[in-house]
Amino acid sequence: MLVQLSHPNRQVEIKGPKRTKDLLRELNLVMEAHLVIRGDELVTEDEILADADQIEIRPVISGGI
Amino acid sequence: MNCTKCPTSTRAVIGLPRHNAAFCKSCFITFVHEQVARAIKSFKMLSHEDRILVAVSGGKDSLALWHILLTLGYRADALYVNLGIGSYSEESHRKVRHYADTVAAGYGAKLLVHVVEQEAGAGIRELATILHRPTCSTCGTIKRYQFNRAAIEQEYDVMATGHNLDDEAARLLGNVLHWQNDYLDKQSPTLPASVEGFAKKVKPLCRLSEREIAAYAVVNRLDYIVEECPMAKGSKMILYKEVLNRLETESPGTKQRFYWGFLDKQAKPDAPAESMADKDQRTLVPCDSCGQPTTAGTCTYCKMMAKAKRSAV
Ligand SMILES: [Zn+2]
Ligand SMILES: [Zn+2]
């Protein structure tokens, strides 16, 4: 599956099928600080992601005042 | 994972460990609206007659706040301050403008804009260099000043900002770590118009985590700027948020207990404190087995040893 990441913007190819929370763990990312979006729908941490899926992992932390 | 609120099992879009819940799209939107309504009510933030000025930046929090207030039927205009941070400001300005034209206008709400470069003759980067101050603090000072001035001059009743639970918990952690007691007093989600020339300020998103607000923006297809402000990189606030998120992951509800617990303490007038010695004299008696002070008849040590001896035989 193609995974889009931010800070810095990059794409990585990850082998599926894979549970959302395992994907995050593999990339060393904390669930509480990220949203996982498949296509344009949010998915929960127990969702199984397939090879054909387009995934975006979007950070939610902002630093401004 | 299915929605824990729907009678028919609908697929959930988000799990909320701190509430032991998972919600489908429509239950999640209802949840967010309820949390904002509860904050508004319990901290006496807004009334439907108030004219509200929302401070918008193009980020998820402020756009979601504007959207929620309009959806809940409040009269909310917004102010965007363009700080002149190159393409970052251009893009965030475009996103705010887009929301104002396509959604807010339909509610009869308008967008006010203040461009820093036009007034100061320099962008924020140059200003920070000229003033020898960190960019984020320069930025914050300018935004606070402009929002307050616009609110007073254009006679808004109250100013609303998109500060969320994570912002407030991170700020509280920073203030506690450095024992900034003066700042602790100013951390209430509602700050009254204390003196002439200061607008009333409220934070209606204080019951919602950063992740919940980002999710709200996604399910409502709000187009916000995802990139971090290039000036905020490596800020202390981000470090505190990361630490709190690690704790939250291990132990859901930590952020909420930390910040709401503080607000609870702040709301209660201090009870006349009983000294530790007075309390000990009132509650402690000699242990009936060894004579050391205890609150029970037999002390914990003696009970533990008695049990150990019993199981040893
Ligand atoms: Zn539901
Ligand atoms: Zn004893």
Side-chain angles (χ1 to χ4, degrees), chain B residues 3 5-6 10 23-24 27:
Chain B
C3 179
K5 210 174 163 197
C6 282
T10 319
F23 292 134
C24 68
C27 290

mmCIF file of all heavy atoms in Angstrom, chain B residues 3 5-6 10 23-24 27, ligand 1:
data_model
loop_
_atom_site.group_PDB
_atom_site.id
_atom_site.type_symbol
_atom_site.label_atom_id
_atom_site.label_comp_id
_atom_site.label_asym_id
_atom_site.label_seq_id
_atom_site.Cartn_x
_atom_site.Cartn_y
_atom_site.Cartn_z
ATOM 1 N N CYS B 3 -19.751 1.622 15.921
ATOM 2 C CA CYS B 3 -20.196 2.753 16.739
ATOM 3 C C CYS B 3 -20.830 2.214 18.023
ATOM 4 O O CYS B 3 -21.649 1.305 17.987
ATOM 5 C CB CYS B 3 -21.191 3.595 15.968
ATOM 6 S SG CYS B 3 -21.812 4.995 16.902
ATOM 7 N N LYS B 5 -22.698 3.909 19.972
ATOM 8 C CA LYS B 5 -23.903 4.674 20.301
ATOM 9 C C LYS B 5 -25.097 4.262 19.433
ATOM 10 O O LYS B 5 -26.229 4.290 19.896
ATOM 11 C CB LYS B 5 -23.605 6.171 20.114
ATOM 12 C CG LYS B 5 -24.415 7.063 21.044
ATOM 13 C CD LYS B 5 -23.948 8.492 20.889
ATOM 14 C CE LYS B 5 -24.944 9.477 21.460
ATOM 15 N NZ LYS B 5 -24.664 10.836 20.953
ATOM 16 N N CYS B 6 -24.808 3.881 18.183
ATOM 17 C CA CYS B 6 -25.886 3.514 17.262
ATOM 18 C C CYS B 6 -26.475 2.148 17.646
ATOM 19 O O CYS B 6 -25.736 1.219 17.919
ATOM 20 C CB CYS B 6 -25.352 3.410 15.841
ATOM 21 S SG CYS B 6 -25.103 4.983 15.054
ATOM 22 N N THR B 10 -23.102 0.445 13.052
ATOM 23 C CA THR B 10 -22.510 1.205 11.965
ATOM 24 C C THR B 10 -21.002 1.215 12.167
ATOM 25 O O THR B 10 -20.537 1.253 13.299
ATOM 26 C CB THR B 10 -23.021 2.663 12.007
ATOM 27 O OG1 THR B 10 -24.407 2.642 12.308
ATOM 28 C CG2 THR B 10 -22.793 3.377 10.695
ATOM 29 N N PHE B 23 -17.177 6.050 17.582
ATOM 30 C CA PHE B 23 -18.327 6.700 16.950
ATOM 31 C C PHE B 23 -18.302 6.616 15.432
ATOM 32 O O PHE B 23 -17.235 6.699 14.812
ATOM 33 C CB PHE B 23 -18.386 8.182 17.340
ATOM 34 C CG PHE B 23 -18.708 8.434 18.791
ATOM 35 C CD1 PHE B 23 -17.975 9.360 19.514
ATOM 36 C CD2 PHE B 23 -19.736 7.755 19.431
ATOM 37 C CE1 PHE B 23 -18.266 9.609 20.853
ATOM 38 C CE2 PHE B 23 -20.038 7.992 20.757
ATOM 39 C CZ PHE B 23 -19.307 8.923 21.473
ATOM 40 N N CYS B 24 -19.499 6.485 14.842
ATOM 41 C CA CYS B 24 -19.642 6.639 13.393
ATOM 42 C C CYS B 24 -19.614 8.143 13.103
ATOM 43 O O CYS B 24 -19.603 8.958 14.029
ATOM 44 C CB CYS B 24 -20.959 6.032 12.920
ATOM 45 S SG CYS B 24 -22.404 6.936 13.512
ATOM 46 N N CYS B 27 -22.581 10.201 14.751
ATOM 47 C CA CYS B 27 -22.499 10.233 16.224
ATOM 48 C C CYS B 27 -21.287 11.047 16.677
ATOM 49 O O CYS B 27 -21.319 11.699 17.723
ATOM 50 C CB CYS B 27 -22.432 8.824 16.799
ATOM 51 S SG CYS B 27 -23.985 7.924 16.628
HETATM 52 ZN ZN ZN C 1 -23.257 6.020 15.514
#
